[in-house]
Amino acid sequence: MATSRVPAAITALLAILRAAPALAGVGVYDGPVAVNLSERRRLYIGWAPGSEQAVELSQQFASAGARTRDEDFDIACYAEARAGDKDMALRRTAVFEIVAAVESALRASDAAPQAPTLNGAVLWSQLSTGNLIQEQTQDGALAGLAFTVSCRARI
Protein backbone atom coordinates (compact mmCIF):
# COMPACT_ATOMS: atom_id res chain seq x y z
CA MET A 1 0.00 0.00 0.00
CA ALA A 2 1.35 3.42 -0.95
CA THR A 3 2.00 5.87 1.88
CA SER A 4 1.67 8.83 -0.48
CA ARG A 5 0.47 9.63 -4.01
CA VAL A 6 2.98 12.47 -4.37
CA PRO A 7 5.58 10.54 -6.45
CA ALA A 8 2.93 9.19 -8.85
CA ALA A 9 1.27 12.62 -9.15
CA ILE A 10 4.52 14.40 -10.05
CA THR A 11 5.41 11.73 -12.60
CA ALA A 12 1.96 11.97 -14.20
CA LEU A 13 1.97 15.79 -14.17
CA LEU A 14 5.34 15.83 -15.95
CA ALA A 15 4.08 13.36 -18.58
CA ILE A 16 0.91 15.37 -19.23
CA LEU A 17 2.77 18.66 -19.54
CA ARG A 18 5.56 17.27 -21.72
CA ALA A 19 2.90 15.95 -24.11
CA ALA A 20 0.80 19.14 -24.17
CA PRO A 21 0.92 20.71 -27.66
CA ALA A 22 0.58 24.21 -26.20
CA LEU A 23 3.87 23.69 -24.34
CA ALA A 24 5.91 22.76 -27.42
CA GLY A 25 9.10 24.78 -27.24
CA VAL A 26 8.95 25.07 -23.43
CA GLY A 27 11.52 23.12 -21.43
CA VAL A 28 9.62 21.09 -18.80
CA TYR A 29 11.84 20.03 -15.89
CA ASP A 30 11.50 17.71 -12.90
CA GLY A 31 12.69 19.86 -10.03
CA PRO A 32 15.53 22.39 -10.20
CA VAL A 33 18.14 22.24 -12.92
CA ALA A 34 21.19 24.29 -13.79
CA VAL A 35 20.33 27.61 -15.39
CA ASN A 36 20.50 27.65 -19.17
CA LEU A 37 20.04 31.24 -20.29
CA SER A 38 19.84 30.22 -23.95
CA GLU A 39 16.52 28.49 -23.25
CA ARG A 40 14.00 31.33 -23.08
CA ARG A 41 10.84 29.51 -21.87
CA ARG A 42 11.00 27.02 -19.00
CA LEU A 43 8.62 25.23 -16.67
CA TYR A 44 9.74 23.57 -13.43
CA ILE A 45 7.63 21.00 -11.58
CA GLY A 46 8.53 20.48 -7.92
CA TRP A 47 10.56 23.68 -7.61
CA ALA A 48 10.05 27.43 -7.34
CA PRO A 49 12.60 30.10 -6.46
CA GLY A 50 12.65 30.88 -2.76
CA SER A 51 10.48 27.86 -1.92
CA GLU A 52 11.69 25.70 0.94
CA GLN A 53 9.87 22.59 -0.27
CA ALA A 54 8.96 20.90 -3.53
CA VAL A 55 5.66 19.60 -2.13
CA GLU A 56 3.70 20.40 1.00
CA LEU A 57 1.36 17.61 2.12
CA SER A 58 -1.03 16.57 4.85
CA GLN A 59 -2.97 13.39 5.53
CA GLN A 60 -5.93 12.42 7.67
CA PHE A 61 -8.16 9.39 8.03
CA ALA A 62 -10.90 9.40 5.39
CA SER A 63 -13.53 7.83 7.62
CA ALA A 64 -14.15 5.89 10.79
CA GLY A 65 -12.32 2.60 10.88
CA ALA A 66 -9.01 4.07 9.72
CA ARG A 67 -8.90 1.97 6.54
CA THR A 68 -8.21 4.80 4.10
CA ARG A 69 -6.60 8.20 4.28
CA ASP A 70 -7.11 11.42 2.38
CA GLU A 71 -3.98 13.19 1.26
CA ASP A 72 -3.92 16.85 0.23
CA PHE A 73 -0.77 18.29 -1.29
CA ASP A 74 0.52 21.29 -3.15
CA ILE A 75 3.22 20.90 -5.80
CA ALA A 76 5.45 23.97 -6.17
CA CYS A 77 5.91 24.96 -9.83
CA TYR A 78 7.57 27.81 -11.67
CA ALA A 79 7.23 29.12 -15.21
CA GLU A 80 9.70 31.57 -16.69
CA ALA A 81 9.98 33.63 -19.87
CA ARG A 82 13.07 35.68 -20.65
CA ALA A 83 14.57 37.51 -23.60
CA GLY A 84 17.50 39.73 -24.46
CA ASP A 85 15.33 42.83 -24.77
CA LYS A 86 13.81 45.00 -22.04
CA ASP A 87 10.14 44.50 -23.00
CA MET A 88 8.54 43.37 -19.74
CA ALA A 89 5.01 43.30 -21.18
CA LEU A 90 6.01 40.65 -23.73
CA ARG A 91 7.71 38.50 -21.07
CA ARG A 92 4.73 38.83 -18.73
CA THR A 93 2.34 37.81 -21.51
CA ALA A 94 4.58 34.86 -22.43
CA VAL A 95 4.81 33.53 -18.86
CA PHE A 96 1.03 33.74 -18.41
CA GLU A 97 0.63 31.83 -21.70
CA ILE A 98 2.80 29.03 -20.29
CA VAL A 99 0.74 28.85 -17.09
CA ALA A 100 -2.51 28.99 -19.10
CA ALA A 101 -1.28 25.95 -21.03
CA VAL A 102 -0.67 24.15 -17.71
CA GLU A 103 -4.17 25.02 -16.53
CA SER A 104 -5.68 23.83 -19.82
CA ALA A 105 -3.70 20.59 -19.65
CA LEU A 106 -5.19 19.88 -16.20
CA ARG A 107 -8.78 20.30 -17.40
CA ALA A 108 -10.84 17.35 -18.55
CA SER A 109 -11.52 17.17 -22.27
CA ASP A 110 -12.76 14.54 -24.69
CA ALA A 111 -9.14 13.85 -25.64
CA ALA A 112 -7.93 13.80 -22.02
CA PRO A 113 -10.75 12.83 -19.65
CA GLN A 114 -8.26 11.75 -16.94
CA ALA A 115 -6.25 15.01 -16.95
CA PRO A 116 -7.66 16.43 -13.68
CA THR A 117 -6.88 13.13 -11.93
CA LEU A 118 -3.34 13.14 -13.34
CA ASN A 119 -4.20 9.97 -15.22
CA GLY A 120 -5.62 8.34 -12.09
CA ALA A 121 -2.82 9.28 -9.68
CA VAL A 122 -5.11 11.56 -7.62
CA LEU A 123 -8.82 12.26 -7.14
CA TRP A 124 -8.40 15.77 -8.56
CA SER A 125 -5.82 18.44 -9.28
CA GLN A 126 -6.02 22.12 -10.06
CA LEU A 127 -3.87 25.19 -10.45
CA SER A 128 -4.55 27.08 -7.23
CA THR A 129 -2.18 29.96 -6.46
CA GLY A 130 0.45 32.07 -8.17
CA ASN A 131 2.98 34.86 -7.63
CA LEU A 132 4.39 36.98 -10.47
CA ILE A 133 8.10 37.84 -10.44
CA GLN A 134 9.52 40.47 -12.80
CA GLU A 135 13.18 41.41 -13.24
CA GLN A 136 15.30 43.50 -15.55
CA THR A 137 18.75 41.91 -15.70
CA GLN A 138 21.86 42.51 -17.79
CA ASP A 139 20.54 39.69 -19.99
CA GLY A 140 17.17 41.40 -20.52
CA ALA A 141 13.64 41.14 -19.19
CA LEU A 142 12.50 38.14 -17.17
CA ALA A 143 8.99 37.30 -15.98
CA GLY A 144 8.42 34.33 -13.73
CA LEU A 145 5.27 32.91 -12.22
CA ALA A 146 5.60 30.70 -9.15
CA PHE A 147 2.39 28.69 -8.89
CA THR A 148 0.90 25.71 -7.11
CA VAL A 149 -0.83 22.61 -8.42
CA SER A 150 -3.07 21.41 -5.58
CA CYS A 151 -4.15 17.77 -5.40
CA ARG A 152 -6.30 15.43 -3.34
CA ALA A 153 -5.72 11.69 -3.25
CA ARG A 154 -7.12 8.70 -1.43
CA ILE A 155 -4.60 6.22 -0.05
Side-chain angles (χ1 to χ4, degrees):
M1 175 182 291
T3 60
S4 176
R5 296 302 295 160
V6 169
I10 292 174
T11 298
L13 180 58
L14 285 162
I16 288 168
L17 297 177
R18 287 175 174 154
L23 291 171
V26 175
V28 179
Y29 297 102
D30 186 354
V33 297
V35 174
N36 175 357
L37 295 180
S38 65
E39 191 171 50
R40 301 298 187 169
R41 296 173 6 125
R42 295 187 293 265
L43 176 60
Y44 299 92
I45 306 304
W47 179 81
S51 178
E52 294 293 320
Q53 64 275 339
V55 175
E56 185 174 336
L57 65 106
S58 67
Q59 295 181 359
Q60 57 278 337
F61 287 113
S63 61
R67 295 182 185 267
T68 60
R69 295 175 63 78
D70 285 332
E71 180 177 47
D72 294 307
F73 54 94
D74 296 321
I75 303 170
C77 302
Y78 178 68
E80 183 177 279
R82 62 174 59 233
D85 61 31
K86 300 289 184 186
D87 192 334
M88 188 58 72
L90 287 176
R91 302 301 75 76
R92 188 172 45 249
T93 297
V95 80
F96 273 93
E97 287 172 351
I98 294 169
V99 176
V102 172
E103 186 176 15
S104 293
L106 292 178
R107 290 184 184 181
S109 67
D110 290 338
Q114 294 293 316
T117 67
L118 301 179
N119 296 330
V122 298
L123 296 173
W124 54 259
S125 67
Q126 65 178 352
L127 193 126
S128 58
T129 63
N131 295 298
L132 178 65
I133 300 162
Q134 299 184 131
E135 294 180 17
Q136 288 287 357
T137 71
Q138 66 184 22
D139 297 313
L142 174 150
L145 190 60
F147 64 96
T148 301
V149 173
S150 297
C151 302
R152 168 158 282 193
R154 175 79 38 94
I155 53 175

Coordinates of all heavy atoms in Angstrom, one line a residue, residues 33-89:
V33 N 17.0 22.6 -12.0 CA 18.1 22.2 -12.9 C 19.1 23.4 -13.0 O 18.7 24.6 -12.7 CB 17.7 21.8 -14.3 CG1 16.8 20.6 -14.3 CG2 16.9 22.9 -15.0
A34 N 20.2 23.2 -13.6 CA 21.2 24.3 -13.8 C 20.6 25.3 -14.8 O 19.9 24.9 -15.7 CB 22.5 23.7 -14.3
V35 N 20.9 26.5 -14.5 CA 20.3 27.6 -15.4 C 20.9 27.5 -16.8 O 22.1 27.4 -16.9 CB 20.6 29.0 -14.8 CG1 20.2 30.1 -15.7 CG2 19.9 29.1 -13.4
N36 N 20.1 27.6 -17.8 CA 20.5 27.6 -19.2 C 19.9 28.9 -19.8 O 18.7 28.9 -20.1 CB 20.0 26.4 -19.9 CG 20.3 26.4 -21.4 OD1 20.8 27.4 -21.9 ND2 20.0 25.3 -22.0
L37 N 20.6 30.0 -19.8 CA 20.0 31.2 -20.3 C 19.7 31.2 -21.8 O 19.0 32.1 -22.2 CB 21.0 32.4 -20.0 CG 21.2 32.6 -18.5 CD1 22.1 33.8 -18.2 CD2 19.9 32.9 -17.7
S38 N 20.2 30.3 -22.5 CA 19.8 30.2 -23.9 C 18.4 29.7 -24.2 O 17.8 29.9 -25.2 CB 20.8 29.4 -24.7 OG 20.8 28.0 -24.3
E39 N 17.9 29.0 -23.2 CA 16.5 28.5 -23.3 C 15.6 29.6 -22.7 O 15.7 29.9 -21.5 CB 16.4 27.2 -22.5 CG 15.1 26.5 -22.7 CD 15.1 25.1 -22.1 OE1 15.5 25.0 -20.9 OE2 14.8 24.2 -22.8
R40 N 14.8 30.1 -23.5 CA 14.0 31.3 -23.1 C 12.7 31.1 -22.4 O 12.1 31.9 -21.7 CB 13.7 32.2 -24.3 CG 15.0 32.6 -25.0 CD 15.8 33.5 -24.1 NE 16.9 34.1 -24.9 CZ 17.7 35.0 -24.4 NH1 17.5 35.5 -23.2 NH2 18.7 35.5 -25.1
R41 N 12.1 29.8 -22.5 CA 10.8 29.5 -21.9 C 11.0 28.2 -21.2 O 11.3 27.2 -21.8 CB 9.7 29.5 -22.9 CG 9.5 30.8 -23.6 CD 8.6 30.9 -24.7 NE 7.8 29.7 -25.0 CZ 6.5 29.6 -25.1 NH1 5.8 30.7 -24.9 NH2 5.9 28.5 -25.5
R42 N 10.8 28.2 -19.8 CA 11.0 27.0 -19.0 C 9.8 26.8 -18.0 O 9.2 27.8 -17.6 CB 12.3 27.2 -18.2 CG 13.5 27.2 -19.1 CD 14.8 27.2 -18.2 NE 14.9 28.4 -17.4 CZ 15.7 29.4 -17.8 NH1 16.3 29.4 -19.0 NH2 15.8 30.5 -17.0
L43 N 9.6 25.6 -17.6 CA 8.6 25.2 -16.7 C 9.2 24.2 -15.7 O 9.7 23.1 -16.2 CB 7.4 24.7 -17.4 CG 6.2 24.2 -16.6 CD1 5.7 25.3 -15.7 CD2 5.2 23.6 -17.5
Y44 N 9.2 24.5 -14.4 CA 9.7 23.6 -13.4 C 8.6 23.0 -12.6 O 7.7 23.7 -12.1 CB 10.7 24.3 -12.5 CG 11.9 24.9 -13.2 CD1 11.8 26.3 -13.7 CD2 13.0 24.2 -13.3 CE1 12.9 26.8 -14.3 CE2 14.1 24.8 -14.0 CZ 14.1 26.1 -14.4 OH 15.2 26.6 -15.1
I45 N 8.6 21.7 -12.4 CA 7.6 21.0 -11.6 C 8.4 20.5 -10.3 O 9.3 19.7 -10.5 CB 7.0 19.8 -12.4 CG1 6.4 20.3 -13.7 CG2 5.9 19.1 -11.5 CD1 5.4 21.4 -13.6
G46 N 7.9 20.9 -9.2 CA 8.5 20.5 -7.9 C 9.6 21.4 -7.5 O 10.5 21.1 -6.7
W47 N 9.6 22.7 -8.0 CA 10.6 23.7 -7.6 C 10.0 25.1 -7.9 O 9.4 25.2 -9.0 CB 11.9 23.5 -8.3 CG 12.9 24.5 -8.0 CD1 13.7 24.6 -6.8 CD2 13.2 25.7 -8.7 NE1 14.5 25.7 -6.8 CE2 14.2 26.4 -8.0 CE3 12.8 26.2 -9.9 CZ2 14.7 27.6 -8.4 CZ3 13.3 27.5 -10.3 CH2 14.3 28.1 -9.6
A48 N 10.3 26.0 -7.1 CA 10.0 27.4 -7.3 C 11.1 28.2 -6.6 O 11.5 27.8 -5.5 CB 8.7 27.8 -6.9
P49 N 11.6 29.3 -7.2 CA 12.6 30.1 -6.5 C 12.1 30.6 -5.1 O 11.0 31.0 -4.9 CB 12.9 31.3 -7.4 CG 11.8 31.3 -8.4 CD 11.1 30.0 -8.4
G50 N 13.0 30.4 -4.1 CA 12.6 30.9 -2.8 C 11.8 29.9 -2.0 O 11.5 30.1 -0.8
S51 N 11.3 28.8 -2.6 CA 10.5 27.9 -1.9 C 11.4 26.9 -1.1 O 12.4 26.4 -1.6 CB 9.6 27.1 -2.9 OG 8.9 26.1 -2.3
E52 N 10.9 26.6 0.1 CA 11.7 25.7 0.9 C 11.4 24.2 0.6 O 12.2 23.4 0.9 CB 11.4 26.0 2.4 CG 11.8 27.3 2.9 CD 13.4 27.4 2.9 OE1 14.0 26.4 3.3 OE2 13.9 28.5 2.5
Q53 N 10.3 24.0 0.0 CA 9.9 22.6 -0.3 C 9.4 22.4 -1.7 O 8.8 23.4 -2.3 CB 8.8 22.1 0.7 CG 7.5 22.8 0.6 CD 7.4 24.1 1.5 OE1 8.2 24.3 2.4 NE2 6.5 25.0 1.1
A54 N 9.5 21.2 -2.2 CA 9.0 20.9 -3.5 C 7.5 20.6 -3.4 O 6.7 21.0 -4.3 CB 9.7 19.7 -4.1
V55 N 7.1 20.0 -2.3 CA 5.7 19.6 -2.1 C 5.4 19.8 -0.6 O 6.2 19.4 0.2 CB 5.4 18.1 -2.5 CG1 4.0 17.7 -2.2 CG2 5.7 17.9 -4.0
E56 N 4.2 20.3 -0.4 CA 3.7 20.4 1.0 C 2.5 19.5 1.1 O 1.6 19.6 0.2 CB 3.3 21.8 1.3 CG 2.9 22.0 2.8 CD 2.7 23.5 3.1 OE1 3.2 24.4 2.5 OE2 1.9 23.7 4.1
L57 N 2.5 18.6 2.1 CA 1.4 17.6 2.1 C 0.8 17.4 3.5 O 1.5 17.7 4.5 CB 1.8 16.3 1.5 CG 2.9 15.5 2.3 CD1 2.3 14.3 3.0 CD2 3.9 15.0 1.3
S58 N -0.4 17.0 3.6 CA -1.0 16.6 4.8 C -1.9 15.4 4.6 O -2.5 15.2 3.5 CB -1.8 17.7 5.5 OG -2.9 18.1 4.7
Q59 N -2.1 14.6 5.6 CA -3.0 13.4 5.5 C -3.9 13.3 6.8 O -3.5 13.8 7.8 CB -2.1 12.1 5.4 CG -1.3 12.0 4.2 CD -0.5 10.7 4.2 OE1 -0.6 9.9 5.1 NE2 0.2 10.5 3.1
Q60 N -5.0 12.7 6.6 CA -5.9 12.4 7.7 C -6.8 11.2 7.3 O -6.9 10.9 6.1 CB -6.8 13.6 8.0 CG -7.7 14.2 6.9 CD -6.9 15.1 6.0 OE1 -5.9 15.7 6.3 NE2 -7.4 15.2 4.7
F61 N -7.3 10.5 8.3 CA -8.2 9.4 8.0 C -9.4 9.8 7.3 O -10.0 10.9 7.5 CB -8.6 8.7 9.3 CG -7.4 7.9 9.9 CD1 -6.9 8.3 11.2 CD2 -6.9 6.8 9.3 CE1 -5.9 7.6 11.7 CE2 -5.9 6.1 9.8 CZ -5.3 6.5 11.1
A62 N -9.8 9.0 6.3 CA -10.9 9.4 5.4 C -12.2 9.1 6.0 O -13.2 9.7 5.7 CB -10.8 8.6 4.1
S63 N -12.3 8.2 7.0 CA -13.5 7.8 7.6 C -13.2 7.0 8.9 O -12.1 6.6 9.1 CB -14.4 7.0 6.7 OG -13.8 5.8 6.3
A64 N -14.3 6.7 9.6 CA -14.1 5.9 10.8 C -13.6 4.5 10.4 O -13.9 4.0 9.3 CB -15.5 5.8 11.5
G65 N -12.9 3.9 11.2 CA -12.3 2.6 10.9 C -10.9 2.7 10.4 O -10.2 1.6 10.4
A66 N -10.4 3.8 10.1 CA -9.0 4.1 9.7 C -8.5 3.1 8.6 O -7.4 2.7 8.6 CB -8.1 4.0 11.0
R67 N -9.3 2.8 7.6 CA -8.9 2.0 6.5 C -8.3 2.7 5.4 O -7.5 2.2 4.6 CB -10.1 1.1 6.1 CG -10.5 0.1 7.1 CD -11.7 -0.7 6.6 NE -12.2 -1.6 7.6 CZ -11.7 -2.8 7.8 NH1 -10.8 -3.3 7.1 NH2 -12.2 -3.5 8.8
T68 N -8.7 4.0 5.2 CA -8.2 4.8 4.1 C -7.9 6.2 4.6 O -8.3 6.6 5.7 CB -9.2 5.0 3.0 OG1 -10.4 5.6 3.5 CG2 -9.6 3.6 2.3
R69 N -7.0 6.9 3.9 CA -6.6 8.2 4.3 C -6.8 9.1 3.1 O -6.6 8.7 1.9 CB -5.1 8.2 4.7 CG -4.9 7.4 6.0 CD -3.5 7.3 6.4 NE -2.8 8.6 6.7 CZ -3.0 9.3 7.9 NH1 -3.7 8.8 8.8 NH2 -2.3 10.4 8.1
D70 N -7.1 10.4 3.4 CA -7.1 11.4 2.4 C -5.8 12.2 2.5 O -5.3 12.5 3.6 CB -8.3 12.4 2.6 CG -9.6 11.8 2.2 OD1 -9.6 10.9 1.3 OD2 -10.6 12.2 2.7
E71 N -5.2 12.5 1.3 CA -4.0 13.2 1.3 C -4.2 14.4 0.4 O -4.7 14.3 -0.7 CB -2.9 12.3 0.6 CG -1.5 13.0 0.6 CD -0.5 12.1 0.0 OE1 -0.7 11.4 -1.0 OE2 0.6 12.1 0.6
D72 N -3.9 15.6 1.0 CA -3.9 16.8 0.2 C -2.5 17.3 0.1 O -1.7 17.3 1.1 CB -4.7 17.9 1.0 CG -6.2 17.5 1.1 OD1 -6.8 17.2 0.0 OD2 -6.7 17.5 2.2
F73 N -2.1 17.8 -1.1 CA -0.8 18.3 -1.3 C -0.7 19.3 -2.4 O -1.6 19.4 -3.3 CB 0.2 17.2 -1.6 CG -0.1 16.2 -2.7 CD1 0.4 16.5 -4.0 CD2 -0.8 15.1 -2.5 CE1 0.2 15.6 -5.0 CE2 -1.1 14.2 -3.5 CZ -0.6 14.5 -4.8
D74 N 0.3 20.2 -2.2 CA 0.5 21.3 -3.1 C 1.9 21.1 -3.8 O 2.9 21.0 -3.0 CB 0.5 22.6 -2.4 CG -0.9 22.9 -1.9 OD1 -1.9 22.6 -2.5 OD2 -1.0 23.5 -0.7
I75 N 2.0 21.0 -5.1 CA 3.2 20.9 -5.8 C 3.7 22.3 -6.2 O 3.0 23.0 -6.9 CB 3.1 20.0 -7.0 CG1 2.5 18.6 -6.6 CG2 4.4 19.9 -7.8 CD1 2.1 17.8 -7.8
A76 N 4.9 22.7 -5.8 CA 5.5 24.0 -6.2 C 5.9 23.9 -7.6 O 6.5 22.9 -8.0 CB 6.7 24.3 -5.3
C77 N 5.5 24.9 -8.4 CA 5.9 25.0 -9.8 C 6.4 26.4 -10.2 O 6.0 27.3 -9.5 CB 4.7 24.6 -10.7 SG 4.1 22.9 -10.4
Y78 N 7.1 26.5 -11.3 CA 7.6 27.8 -11.7 C 7.7 27.9 -13.2 O 8.3 27.0 -13.8 CB 8.9 28.1 -11.0 CG 9.6 29.4 -11.4 CD1 9.0 30.6 -11.0 CD2 10.7 29.4 -12.2 CE1 9.6 31.8 -11.3 CE2 11.3 30.6 -12.5 CZ 10.8 31.8 -12.1 OH 11.3 33.0 -12.4
A79 N 7.1 28.9 -13.8 CA 7.2 29.1 -15.2 C 8.0 30.4 -15.4 O 7.9 31.3 -14.6 CB 5.9 29.3 -15.8
E80 N 8.9 30.4 -16.4 CA 9.7 31.6 -16.7 C 9.8 31.9 -18.2 O 9.9 31.0 -19.0 CB 11.1 31.3 -16.1 CG 12.0 32.5 -16.3 CD 13.4 32.2 -15.6 OE1 13.5 32.3 -14.4 OE2 14.3 31.8 -16.3
A81 N 9.8 33.2 -18.5 CA 10.0 33.6 -19.9 C 11.0 34.8 -19.8 O 10.9 35.7 -19.0 CB 8.7 34.1 -20.5
R82 N 12.0 34.7 -20.6 CA 13.1 35.7 -20.6 C 13.5 36.0 -22.1 O 13.2 35.2 -23.0 CB 14.3 35.3 -19.8 CG 15.0 34.0 -20.4 CD 16.3 33.7 -19.6 NE 16.1 33.4 -18.2 CZ 16.9 34.1 -17.3 NH1 17.8 34.9 -17.6 NH2 16.7 33.8 -16.0
A83 N 14.1 37.1 -22.3 CA 14.6 37.5 -23.6 C 15.7 38.5 -23.4 O 15.9 39.1 -22.4 CB 13.4 38.1 -24.5
G84 N 16.4 38.8 -24.5 CA 17.5 39.7 -24.5 C 17.1 41.2 -24.5 O 17.9 42.1 -24.3
D85 N 15.8 41.4 -24.7 CA 15.3 42.8 -24.8 C 14.8 43.3 -23.4 O 14.9 42.5 -22.4 CB 14.3 43.0 -25.9 CG 13.0 42.2 -25.6 OD1 12.7 41.9 -24.4 OD2 12.4 41.8 -26.6
K86 N 14.3 44.5 -23.3 CA 13.8 45.0 -22.0 C 12.3 45.1 -22.0 O 11.7 45.7 -21.1 CB 14.4 46.4 -21.8 CG 15.9 46.5 -21.8 CD 16.4 45.8 -20.5 CE 17.9 46.0 -20.4 NZ 18.4 45.3 -19.3
D87 N 11.6 44.4 -22.9 CA 10.1 44.5 -23.0 C 9.5 43.6 -22.0 O 9.2 42.4 -22.2 CB 9.7 44.1 -24.4 CG 8.2 44.5 -24.7 OD1 7.4 44.6 -23.7 OD2 7.9 44.8 -25.8
M88 N 9.1 44.1 -20.8 CA 8.5 43.4 -19.7 C 7.1 42.9 -20.1 O 6.7 41.8 -19.7 CB 8.5 44.2 -18.5 CG 8.1 43.4 -17.2 SD 9.1 42.0 -16.9 CE 10.6 42.8 -16.3
A89 N 6.4 43.7 -20.8 CA 5.0 43.3 -21.2 C 5.0 42.0 -22.0 O 4.2 41.1 -21.8 CB 4.3 44.4 -21.9

